[in-house]
Amino acid sequence: MPRSASVRIHPSAVISDEADIAADVEIGPFVVIEGPVTLGPGCAIHPHVHLLGPLVLGSHNQVWSGCVLGGPPQHLGYKGEATLIEIGNNNIFREYVTVHRGMPAGSGKGTTRIGDNNLFMAGSHVAHDCTVGSHNLFANYAVIGGHVEVADRVLLSGNSAVHQFCRVGRLALLSGSSATSKDIPPFWVMQEVNQVGGVNIIGMKR
């Protein structure tokens, strides 16, 4: 496992020999890094995080306590294949966020992808084979099912849910405790269950 002299790793952390740890990375107490995990420069991995490879994190990501990134899909057809998660730069994963890697080719894309500058608040979830763009906000316990595509600057409010295979367009907003089993076009506000609530004027102004 290549380690720069500037890497700071707590002695209680358990790190696979397959891991590739870049410069300026901080790894806190009781972290477990399992398998081929790549951490880019400037990442901060806080206590009690579990990272499972194959997993690639870009630079300056913050992963807070209790997160599990790279867990296997919650899918009865998954048989332990080495699928992947690719995560970009400057993302924040707050406490107890879970992100699952993809299903094998033929039943999925094989990769779950997350872009840059996203905030995943506590307890939010990204399922297998999802694609999440950049500058999105997943509020507490917002969840997306498998194969969901989220564009850029989307707001998923607290305790909201997006059904599998749905697409959420740029600057769309899903209200708190709401759910959608249909695509949300760009700029729309969705409320309750599949109810259109208007246009995200505030988001567009910002």
Side-chain angles (χ1 to χ4, degrees):
M1 179 183 64
R3 298 186 186 180
S4 164
S6 59
V7 173
R8 294 184 289 274
I9 300 176
H10 193 275
S12 66
V14 179
I15 301 176
S16 169
D17 290 338
E18 297 179 85
D20 185 354
I21 311 297
D24 301 319
V25 171
E26 297 183 17
I27 298 176
F30 306 108
V31 169
V32 176
I33 298 179
E34 182 178 337
V37 173
T38 299
L39 298 179
C43 287
I45 312 300
H46 292 273
H48 297 282
V49 167
H50 190 184
L51 305 179
L52 300 91
L55 168 64
V56 177
L57 283 90
S59 65
H60 299 96
N61 292 290
Q62 298 181 41
V63 185
W64 288 81
S65 298
C67 289
V68 180
L69 307 184
Q74 296 179 129
H75 193 296
L76 294 175
Y78 182 71
K79 305 301 181 186
E81 296 89 346
T83 52
L84 177 64
I85 292 179
E86 294 179 343
I87 296 173
N89 307 317
N90 302 304
N91 296 288
I92 299 173
F93 299 89
R94 290 303 303 259
E95 295 81 2
Y96 299 100
V97 171
T98 52
V99 181
H100 291 168
R101 60 180 180 265
M103 286 289 290
S107 53
K109 294 180 289 187
T111 304
T112 300
R113 290 187 171 89
I114 294 174
D116 306 323
N117 300 292
N118 297 291
L119 171 57
F120 297 89
M121 295 172 71
S124 55
H125 172 67
V126 177
H128 63 88
D129 298 287
C130 288
T131 300
V132 177
S134 299
H135 299 281
N136 296 298
L137 194 156
F138 283 47
N140 298 71
Y141 298 100
V143 298
I144 60 176
H147 305 273
V148 167
E149 297 180 14
V150 177
D152 298 335
R153 300 189 183 278
V154 167
L155 171 56
L156 301 182
S157 302
N159 294 293
S160 63
V162 180
H163 193 273
Q164 62 185 358
F165 291 102
C166 288
R167 295 174 294 174
V168 183
R170 180 173 178 267
L171 275 167
L173 188 157
L174 182 59
S175 295
S177 301
S178 298
T180 183
S181 62
K182 300 181 182 296
D183 293 349
I184 306 178
F187 316 116
W188 279 24
V189 175
M190 294 282 278
Q191 297 175 322
E192 299 181 1
V193 179
N194 296 335
Q195 297 295 313
V196 177
V199 178
N200 186 9
I201 295 173
I202 294 174
M204 289 189 288
K205 285 181 178 179
R206 289 175 177 171

